[in-house]
Amino acid sequence: MDASEAAFSEVMDPMRKVVASGTLDAVDWNAELIRGDVVDAVRRLKEQPGRGIALGGAKLPATLAAHGLIDDFTFLVHPVIAGCGPRLLDGLRDQIHLELVERRAFRSGAIVPRYRPVAQERASRELVARGLASGT
């Protein structure tokens, strides 16, 4: 294990980890398993003290976004077009308007923008002000 892997493991090993799955029977790496109603489980997690929840996957983010459970969207964008694979937040039925709150760029060309959902009323006012939507 090199120095960067050791530093990563020092942070990750003691961190609480929760895995949401409809297929797994058990998890390791000091993680706990959520089965069943993931929306209710995440609501309960958000009520607990702590630094926040980081998540990933192909389906979970869309489910939680549809229920208003994501406070910030942070995307890691690499300068590569895969051409296949799951679509980001696939399955969302309603638009979620976002405002950019932070953007980091790396020499590799990768960027990490962080967005926060904008309240629907505010988003509608901003579109009207820009002449992109009707005020009625």
Side-chain angles (χ1 to χ4, degrees):
M1 180 181 315
D2 69 21
S4 66
E5 291 173 321
F8 179 76
S9 68
E10 287 175 11
V11 172
M12 284 299 293
D13 283 346
M15 190 178 293
R16 180 180 182 194
K17 292 173 267 312
V18 180
V19 177
S21 175
T23 59
L24 293 176
D25 292 321
V27 292
D28 54 16
W29 201 16
N30 68 317
E32 55 191 279
L33 180 62
I34 294 176
R35 295 196 62 134
D37 187 351
V38 69
V39 171
D40 186 52
V42 170
R43 279 193 180 109
R44 287 193 312 271
L45 285 171
K46 287 181 62 128
E47 292 172 357
Q48 297 176 13
R51 291 184 51 209
I53 301 170
L55 64 99
K59 296 180 183 177
L60 183 60
T63 299
L64 298 180
H67 288 86
L69 291 173
I70 298 181
D71 300 320
D72 286 342
F73 292 85
T74 302
F75 304 107
L76 174 56
V77 182
H78 290 276
V80 175
I81 298 174
C84 62
R87 294 185 331 190
L88 187 63
L89 298 168
D90 196 21
L92 274 179
R93 294 184 354 179
D94 297 321
Q95 288 185 349
I96 300 173
H97 295 269
L98 305 172
E99 67 178 334
L100 181 66
V101 293
E102 180 182 15
R103 181 184 181 275
R104 291 181 289 162
F106 299 90
R107 285 182 293 176
S108 66
I111 60 169
V112 180
R114 183 169 61 97
Y115 297 93
R116 186 163 294 135
V118 176
Q120 188 59 42
E121 294 171 11
R122 179 175 158 208
S124 296
R125 283 194 310 271
E126 289 176 1
L127 287 175
V128 168
R130 293 185 202 152
L132 300 174
S134 169
T136 58

